[in-house]
Amino acid sequence: MRRATVMSAGTPADPGLAELAPDQRLRRLELTVTRRLNGLLHGQYRGLLPGPGSEPSGSREYRPGEDEVRRMDWAVTARTAVPHVRQVDADRELTTWLLVDGSASMEFGTAELDKRELAVAAVAAVGFLTAGVGNRLGAQVLRADGVRRFPARSGRTHLLALLRALLAAPRATAPPDRPGRGPTTRPPDLADGLDALHRIANRRGMVVVVSDFLDGLPDDPDQPAPWERTLRRLAVRHQVLAIEVTDPRELELPDVGLITLVDPETGRHREVCTSDRGLRERYAEAATAQREQVHQALRRSGAIHLPLRTDGDWSADIVRHVHAQRRMAAAPAGPSRGGVA
C-alpha cells in the first residue's frame, strides 16, 4: 500500500494552466523547456547524464572505489606512471526509457504546479535533452486502470505525442471512503512498472523514473522498499535517473485550523487540527525522515537522484543538476579530494 505523507485530494494548483487545452499547455511547456534549457541543448551532444558510452572524450586519474577497472586507459597509465581511466560521452544513438508515475498521489499540488504537471515538465526536459539523430524515447505510464506503453521511437513528433498524451490523460481520483473494505482491484504500483520496464529495456541505455517514490515504503527505514531491488537491477545495465517530485505541503503543515485530509490512494478521510504546534512539528519530522528514507533507497539502488519541488524553479534545478553531474565526471582526482579545502 502506498504510504503518503500528505493525505489530500489533488486539485490543480494553477487553475489557469489546468483550464488550457492540451495543445496550448504543450506549446507553453515546450517554450519553457527550450528557453530555459537552451544552453544545454546546443553544442557538442553529450546526453543528459555523463557516464558509460562509446564516444571517447579523454582520460582522467583513476579513483579507487569509484571507477571500474575495465575502463583503465593503459596507454596513458604507462606514459604517466599514474593509473588513468577512459572518459566517454553518452552514446550518440541512445535509447531512453521513461517510467512516469500517474497514480492518485501525483494529482496533489499547492504551488504553481501540481505533482503530475511537474512530472510532465520533467519528461519534456528529459526528452529534449536526450533528443538527437537516431536517439529513441520510450515510456510506460502508471495509471489507475493499468500501464500505458509508448514504444521507443525517435523524433520530435514522437516526443510531442507522448507529452500530449500525458497532458490529456484523465486525472486519477481517490476511491470512496469505505471503512473496512479495500479497493476491488489493485492498481499497478511502482514495483510493477519497474519490473515491466526491466523486461523490455534490453539494450544498454538510460532509464528515467519520475515519481514521488512513496509506494510501499516500510515503517522500518532499514527495510528496503519493494521497488528497490528492481531499480538496482536496472542500474547494473543502464544509467538510471530518479526524478523525485514533492510538494511543500508534504513536508510541513500550515497553521490553518481544522482541515479534512483525504488519502488519494485509499479515499480515507481524517480531520486534523493544524493549530496544534506539536502536531505540526511531529509531522515535519516524520516527513523529513520519510524523504531521507527515499533518498537512501535511491542511493542504495545506484540511481542518480534529482529532487524537484512544485514550488521551485524546476528548469533551473535540472540545469544545475546536469552541470553538476558533468563537472563531477570531468573533475580530476586530486590528493585533496574529500579533505579540508
Side-chain angles (χ1 to χ4, degrees), residues 267-304:
R268 293 171 54 193
H269 291 64
R270 182 172 183 178
E271 289 190 347
V272 174
C273 182
T274 60
S275 300
D276 184 342
R277 180 178 179 180
L279 172 69
R280 298 197 306 273
E281 291 177 349
R282 293 193 301 273
Y283 179 94
E285 292 174 358
T288 299
Q290 186 183 61
R291 303 329 300 187
E292 177 62 21
Q293 185 179 359
V294 171
H295 172 71
Q296 293 299 330
L298 294 175
R299 182 178 181 179
R300 289 192 299 266
S301 300
I304 301 297

Side-chain angles (χ1 to χ4, degrees), residues 44-338:
Q44 181 182 4
Y45 173 75
R46 283 191 167 192
L48 177 62
L49 291 175
S54 60
E55 295 296 320
S57 64
S59 301
R60 60 168 173 78
E61 291 187 17
Y62 170 76
R63 299 170 184 166
E66 297 184 20
D67 295 320
E68 300 177 9
V69 176
R70 61 187 178 89
R71 292 179 53 208
M72 294 293 295
D73 190 330
W74 297 111
V76 176
T77 298
R79 289 199 306 269
T80 63
V82 177
H84 277 69
V85 292
R86 296 185 303 275
Q87 284 186 294
V88 290
D89 290 336
D91 294 328
R92 290 185 180 272
E93 294 185 359
L94 177 73
T95 299
T96 300
W97 286 101
L98 288 156
L99 178 61
V100 186
D101 187 350
S103 59
S105 70
M106 295 291 288
E107 304 292 351
F108 178 72
T110 61
E112 182 178 354
L113 301 172
D114 65 23
K115 291 163 64 177
R116 166 176 156 164
E117 290 166 339
L118 180 56
V120 177
V123 170
V126 169
F128 285 110
L129 283 171
T130 58
V133 178
N135 288 350
R136 301 191 306 160
L137 181 71
Q140 296 197 77
V141 182
L142 295 176
R143 306 195 313 185
D145 58 351
V147 180
R148 181 172 181 185
R149 296 173 174 83
F150 296 85
R153 294 174 180 167
S154 60
R156 178 175 176 274
T157 301
H158 172 63
L159 172 59
L160 294 181
L162 170 61
L163 295 174
R164 188 175 292 108
L166 291 174
L167 289 171
R171 289 185 172 270
T173 58
D177 189 10
R178 298 180 298 174
R181 296 179 59 190
T184 55
T185 59
R186 182 184 71 86
D189 56 21
L190 191 59
D192 296 329
L194 289 170
D195 286 337
L197 194 59
H198 184 265
R199 289 193 294 269
I200 63 175
N202 298 318
R203 182 181 178 184
R204 185 179 181 87
M206 188 166 75
V207 169
V208 180
V209 184
V210 187
S211 174
D212 51 18
F213 293 98
L214 296 176
D215 271 338
L217 284 180
D219 292 331
D220 184 354
D222 295 328
Q223 294 295 320
W227 42 262
E228 194 174 328
R229 178 180 178 185
T230 307
L231 192 62
R232 186 183 302 113
R233 293 170 62 190
L234 283 166
V236 171
R237 175 181 290 271
H238 308 279
Q239 292 176 277
V240 176
L241 174 63
I243 301 180
E244 177 194 14
V245 294
T246 58
D247 185 86
R249 292 289 78 83
E250 293 180 315
L251 305 177
E252 59 182 10
L253 286 175
D255 183 1
V256 292
L258 185 65
I259 60 175
T260 300
L261 303 181
V262 182
D263 188 330
E265 299 292 340
T266 65
R268 293 171 54 193
H269 291 64
R270 182 172 183 178
E271 289 190 347
V272 174
C273 182
T274 60
S275 300
D276 184 342
R277 180 178 179 180
L279 172 69
R280 298 197 306 273
E281 291 177 349
R282 293 193 301 273
Y283 179 94
E285 292 174 358
T288 299
Q290 186 183 61
R291 303 329 300 187
E292 177 62 21
Q293 185 179 359
V294 171
H295 172 71
Q296 293 299 330
L298 294 175
R299 182 178 181 179
R300 289 192 299 266
S301 300
I304 301 297
H305 183 201
L306 170 56
L308 298 178
R309 288 175 50 135
T310 59
D311 63 339
D313 187 341
W314 59 267
S315 56
D317 290 339
I318 292 175
V319 170
R320 283 192 293 267
H321 178 82
V322 173
H323 282 313
Q325 290 297 316
R326 291 179 179 173
R327 283 197 303 269
M328 288 176 59
S336 62
R337 181 176 177 86

